[in-house]
Amino acid sequence: MRATVIHAAGDVRLEQVPDPQVVLPTDAVVRVVASCVCGSDLWPYRGANEVTEPRRIGHEFVGVVEETGDDVQLRRGQFVVAPFVWSCGGCAPCRSGVQTSCERGGGWGGPDRDGHLVDGGQGEAVRVPRANGTLVPVDGVDEDVEEGLLKSLLTCSDVMGTGWHAATRAGVQEGETVVVVGDGAVGLCGVLSARMKGAGRIIAMSRHAPRQAVAREFGATDVVEARGDEGVQAVRELTDGRGADRVLECVGTHDAMLQAIRSARPGGTVGYVGVPHGIELPIELMFRRNVNVAGGVAPVRAYGEALRDAVLAGDIEPGKVFDAVMPLDDVAEAYTAMDERAAIKVMLRP
Ligand SMILES: [Zn+2]
Ligand SMILES: [Zn+2]
């Protein structure tokens, strides 16, 4: 089959690789119907995380179960969403809803705990370990699913679940004011999540017109383009001089985290989900203003069924974050488009 391999910063290639197979009784092989490029794929692509040797990449995909090991209860032909890590569903962290800390789980695109390769998501098929625990089944949908619905289901693999985690850990309540820092796909899904939780006012921080338009469609009532001191000032002016009840930090840089913490009202909470790169928390400022910071890597598996059902019911259309669709052959071009911010998020079709 063909799959994406990252060789070095700026160098991703679609290559011929061995077909995945069921190795362990808990495995399934999923044929990928759609995958995508994630903002976090850009960290190694931009050289922020070193690539020491060529490796598979891609961790967001949906597809159809093609083969199953003896212990797997999913049927062949079942449409499934794969969360961005695989997990057993049975250990203590999994049972407490932190599947990202699964004691038997791991990530896509590297070896599992027995040394068997787990394929990356940006390919034609994937060996899925711990398939019963990992995969979210979607009934009534097959590989010919309409593109809009396909896009929305694909967001349940990462960005919608991650935006939802930010809003959940921030503790967004009905009628509250929420600021969202970050206008990537996760930030936009954070706006949508805040709306689903009944936020009264949602302030999206964004400088890009196409992203502002999606944010407004998802429920943003205000857009703030300014950053730094001016951004904080603009948020205060919209919130009676106090700051927002809840802030979602969906970037992961020091500046974004500082923006988030300074945008919160005294006693407010920041829910953070951006992969941290060089963040130092201003603990004295947090102490003085009683600002809470909660969050971490999103256990999207915990939210899989609820978000799937909201998508299937037509309550939400998070798939609107995909503003480009490309064939898997053009994966290098998809990375370039994401890197240059020419696209919010690119869906790839094998
Ligand atoms: Zn991702
Ligand atoms: Zn587990």
Side-chain angles (χ1 to χ4, degrees), residues 36-41 59-60 84 157-159 162 186 345:
C36 51
V37 182
C38 182
S40 64
D41 294 330
H59 57 258
E60 302 172 26
F84 69 80
S157 183
D158 184 348
V159 292
T162 299
V186 171
K345 197 163 175 70

Side-chain angles (χ1 to χ4, degrees), residues 34-108:
S35 65
C36 51
V37 182
C38 182
S40 64
D41 294 330
L42 296 179
W43 291 109
Y45 185 77
R46 288 172 173 162
N49 297 350
E50 204 187 347
V51 182
T52 50
E53 55 182 349
R55 64 174 175 84
R56 304 282 194 88
I57 191 165
H59 57 258
E60 302 172 26
F61 62 98
V62 296
V64 172
V65 174
E66 209 159 55
E67 273 182 73
T68 52
D70 288 344
D71 295 348
V72 175
Q73 277 131 31
L74 296 155
R75 62 173 170 79
R76 287 184 184 194
Q78 172 76 60
F79 194 95
V80 290
V81 174
F84 69 80
V85 296
W86 48 274
S87 55
C88 78
C91 69
C94 278
R95 280 185 280 113
S96 65
V98 196
Q99 288 89 339
T100 40
S101 294
C102 175
E103 290 167 358
R104 306 181 185 107
W108 306 104

Side-chain angles (χ1 to χ4, degrees), residues 166 182 217 280:
E217 203 175 343
E280 281 175 45

Side-chain angles (χ1 to χ4, degrees), residues 1-4 14 17 30-35 56-58 61 119-126 328 348-350:
M1 69 154 180
R2 296 170 311 153
T4 305
L14 191 65
V17 300
V30 169
R31 184 160 46 76
V32 175
V33 173
S35 65
R56 304 282 194 88
I57 191 165
F61 62 98
D119 302 276
Q122 291 160 7
E124 290 182 307
V126 176
L328 183 60
L348 295 165
R349 302 295 306 267

